């Protein structure tokens, strides 16, 4: 899908995108650059360095400054370091933070699900989001701009409805959904020096990211089964979600906080 025409909605803003080397995070970073962001920090695991470097080059060709930071979202010290590096590189606190890092996998039987697998899912998807919101707020409360600041958490349709073989994923993304609302209420009531900090969640349907493409390639008939669950007749593209993230990052959504933006081709309308 084509991204929205650039309108400079993010001109001058400093953005931080976790899990940004590929998929939805990468598509968001490119769109942020097209929308005029001043600086974009892309973070991901160290093994994503080459993808991150390629993305930085792409972003800089569009006129924004960018950097890749190796970052494990489950480690609080990594959050502290990565945000400090971002502020130093781009000359100020954050305007936008996107928590897009996440993992997903299924299992055959819930009674056989290893506790270690459950804990890893919660650690990356939910704990990582908590740490991003915590340290995003710490940075943004230093930002005295009267424009709103925006934290965007990637949940999922699986944070709204259940599936039989991904209870650990459902739990992590459902936690992100409700945590987002609590954080939005807190930030809305807080007396920070600048404009309000808004916190919203995005709930994609099945999107053609490396995670989904791997399952489509490995499981016969999987893609056809997914298509049948999306009334719009196709799976989503990363750009479909990036368009919503850019909207939430901009002042076009300045009256939105604690909201769930569902972008799922009609999956949850059934």
């Amino acid at each position: 899908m084509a991204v929205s025409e650039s309108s400079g909605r993010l001109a001058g803003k400093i953005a931080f995108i976790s899990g940004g080397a590929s998929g939805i995070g990468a598509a968001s970073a490119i769109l942020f650059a097209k929308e005029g962001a001043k600086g974009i920090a892309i973070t991901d695991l160290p093994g994503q360095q080459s993808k991150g470097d390629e993305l930085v080059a792409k972003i800089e060709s569009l006129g924004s400054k960018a950097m890749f930071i190796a970052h494990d979202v489950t480690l609080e010290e990594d959050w502290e370091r990565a945000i400090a590096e971002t502020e130093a590189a781009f000359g100020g606190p954050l305007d936008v933070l996107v928590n897009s890092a996440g993992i997903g996998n299924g299992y055959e039987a819930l009674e056989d699900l290893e506790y270690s697998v459950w804990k890893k899912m919660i650690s990356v998807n939910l704990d990582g989001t908590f740490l991003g919101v915590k340290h995003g707020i710490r940075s943004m409360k230093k930002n005295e701009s009267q424009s709103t600041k925006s934290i965007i958490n990637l949940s999922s349709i699986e944070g709204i409805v259940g599936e039989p073989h991904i209870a650990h994923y459902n739990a992590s993304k459902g936690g992100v959904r409700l945590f987002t609302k609590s954080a939005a209420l807190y930030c809305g009531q807080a007396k920070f020096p600048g404009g309000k900090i808004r916190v919203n969640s995005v709930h994609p349907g099945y999107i053609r990211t490396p995670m989904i493409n791997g399952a489509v390639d490995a499981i016969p008939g999987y893609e056809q089964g997914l298509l049948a669950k999306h009334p719009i007749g196709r799976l989503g593209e990363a750009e479909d979600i990036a368009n919503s993230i850019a909207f939430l990052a901009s002042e076009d959504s300045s009256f939105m906080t604690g909201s769930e933006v569902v972008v799922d081709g009609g999956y949850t309308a059934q």
Side-chain angles (χ1 to χ4, degrees), residues 37-181:
K38 172 184 175 181
I40 303 167
I42 301 146
T43 83
D44 217 311
L45 293 171
Q48 299 299 307
Q49 180 79 48
S50 61
K51 288 183 179 179
D53 290 344
E54 291 175 7
L55 184 57
V56 166
K58 171 67 173 177
I59 290 168
E60 292 186 338
S61 75
L62 294 169
S64 294
K65 295 180 180 179
M67 64 189 300
F68 175 81
I69 303 172
H71 173 210
D72 182 337
V73 297
T74 68
L75 300 176
E76 185 158 24
E77 58 269 27
D78 270 21
W79 278 102
E80 293 170 338
R81 172 184 53 79
I83 290 180
E85 289 180 11
T86 302
E87 291 177 341
F90 301 135
L94 302 183
D95 297 287
V96 180
L97 185 142
V98 183
N99 279 307
S100 68
I103 59 172
N105 55 46
Y107 53 80
E108 291 298 319
L110 179 56
E111 64 270 27
D112 296 328
L113 177 64
E114 295 289 341
Y115 185 38
S116 60
V117 175
W118 170 278
K119 288 193 293 184
K120 182 176 181 181
M121 186 73 71
I122 298 297
S123 179
V124 174
N125 292 354
L126 182 53
D127 296 349
T129 298
F130 156 69
L131 290 170
V133 171
K134 173 182 176 178
H135 291 284
I137 291 171
R138 285 187 173 182
S139 177
M140 291 175 181
K141 67 191 290 187
K142 298 181 294 186
N143 187 335
E144 296 186 3
S145 165
Q146 293 305 302
S147 297
T148 64
K149 272 65 74 173
S150 181
I151 296 174
I152 302 149
N153 296 328
L154 267 290
S155 180
S156 169
I157 55 171
E158 308 299 352
I160 299 172
V161 298
E163 298 281 0
H165 296 287
I166 55 169
H168 54 342
Y169 188 75
N170 285 139
S172 68
K173 292 300 188 178
V176 169
R177 177 193 187 195
L178 199 54
F179 169 61
T180 296
K181 295 181 185 300

Side-chain angles (χ1 to χ4, degrees), residues 248-269:
L248 290 174
S250 77
E251 288 298 285
D252 287 351
S253 61
S254 63
F255 196 54
M256 292 177 66
T257 196
S259 297
E260 302 170 15
V261 178
V262 180
V263 190
D264 70 350
Y267 189 106
T268 56

